[in-house]
Amino acid sequence: MSARPDQSSPVPQQLSAGGYRPGYEIAAERILEYIVRERLAPGARLPTEKELADAIGMSRTVVREAVKILSALGRISVQMGRGIYVAEPEGALWRESFSQFLPADLRQVDGMFEFRRFVETTATRLAAQRATPTEVKALREAAQLTADAAEGGDIEAFNRADAKFHQAIGVAACNMFLSASVDSVQRLQRQVSVIGLAGAAGGSIAAAAQQHLAIAAAIAAGDEEQAVALMAEHIDTTLRQFKQEINRRVFPADGAS
């Protein structure tokens, strides 16, 4: 399900180098920064929507939309009749990462992708060694779904298929710890997509889909070195595209107001 806010809601926007940034995107970033600044641990209670709006200097309407996004992403928990809380990650390993990660901070995005590269190239090598025919079939089908979505220009469908593809590699690696790490780093990357990129693609989804097909073919052939090289190239390309898009959206051009 998309984490985009209700399109009928009035959402202020702010000028940036890439055009206008939706107010809910800016508010979501500021709420995350507030959590980090106030050193709020998982399980800690946040102020009310009105108090949050005052704290980050934005309207309550925009904060409400940002809360919906952050709740859908698993960063905060809205408990009826009780209030808003910093979400408790499912795995202890990811408690600090999820509570402190700022998806528009390029240094943290670099760190996340550095970890992703390590985890997913390792998982890819093991998948090339261990994948069963059933797992290879699932991997090829997921790669094809990304290609079909790219051909139709459907970003939401591509994102769903992309997550399925990377999860399939984690499963094919036959290592539950690697599989859990792939899932978790994909959740962090989703935050970059939704908040840092406002749901837009950070580059050519058609090119990414072709990379998926090539990776799946290499894993199916048991070609470890080729599969790892293709996955490393895929992740490095994605990082470059994300950084370019975040820079374009977040950092105003000279003279912009």
Side-chain angles (χ1 to χ4, degrees):
M1 181 180 294
S2 172
R4 287 294 191 101
D6 183 351
Q7 296 301 315
S8 64
S9 302
V11 181
Q13 299 181 334
Q14 175 173 303
L15 184 66
S16 77
Y20 282 90
R21 295 184 69 208
Y24 64 81
E25 180 188 340
I26 299 166
E29 288 180 13
R30 292 185 183 179
I31 290 171
L32 295 179
E33 290 167 353
Y34 175 89
I35 290 171
V36 172
R37 185 171 63 249
E38 297 298 318
R39 299 182 181 277
L40 298 179
R45 185 170 182 172
L46 285 162
T48 64
E49 284 182 358
K50 182 180 183 304
E51 292 167 339
L52 268 179
D54 292 338
I56 68 172
M58 300 191 76
S59 75
R60 186 173 178 179
T61 299
V62 175
V63 166
R64 183 176 298 117
E65 298 297 347
V67 165
K68 290 179 184 177
I69 288 176
L70 294 173
S71 177
L73 290 171
R75 293 298 301 268
I76 62 175
S77 172
V78 180
Q79 302 179 21
M80 295 298 293
R82 295 190 60 198
I84 307 170
Y85 294 80
V86 179
E88 294 270 6
E90 294 180 3
L93 175 65
W94 294 95
R95 286 171 62 92
E96 185 173 353
S97 298
F98 274 100
S99 62
Q100 299 295 312
F101 183 58
L102 297 175
D105 183 324
L106 290 180
R107 288 177 300 177
Q108 292 196 26
V109 171
D110 269 335
M112 184 271 288
F113 270 94
E114 182 177 57
F115 181 70
R116 182 189 168 193
R117 195 180 197 276
F118 173 79
V119 168
E120 293 208 47
T121 53
T122 302
T124 297
R125 181 178 297 280
L126 292 177
Q129 296 173 4
R130 301 172 176 175
T132 66
T134 299
E135 290 163 349
V136 167
K137 182 174 182 289
L139 183 59
R140 284 188 178 277
E141 288 176 349
Q144 187 59 52
L145 284 175
T146 67
D148 294 342
E151 184 177 357
D154 189 335
I155 294 175
E156 285 300 319
F158 175 86
N159 287 338
R160 290 192 297 270
D162 177 70
K164 189 174 182 179
F165 172 77
H166 289 281
Q167 288 164 0
I169 291 177
V171 171
C174 300
N175 183 307
M176 65 179 181
F177 301 105
L178 273 176
S179 181
S181 294
V182 170
D183 288 346
S184 296
V185 80
Q186 286 290 319
R187 288 172 60 193
L188 288 173
Q189 182 170 309
R190 178 61 178 158
Q191 294 180 26
V192 180
S193 297
V194 173
I195 296 176
L197 275 63
S204 169
I205 60 176
Q210 290 305 308
Q211 290 177 327
H212 291 164
L213 291 169
I215 292 166
I219 290 175
D223 190 337
E224 297 174 37
E225 298 307 322
Q226 177 71 353
V228 168
L230 289 168
M231 178 58 78
E233 179 185 2
H234 175 57
I235 293 171
D236 291 346
T237 299
T238 304
L239 172 58
R240 286 195 299 271
Q241 292 170 342
F242 271 42
K243 289 173 72 173
Q244 289 169 1
E245 188 67 13
I246 290 172
N247 270 317
R248 190 176 73 84
R249 287 174 173 270
V250 175
F251 297 105
D254 291 341
S257 59

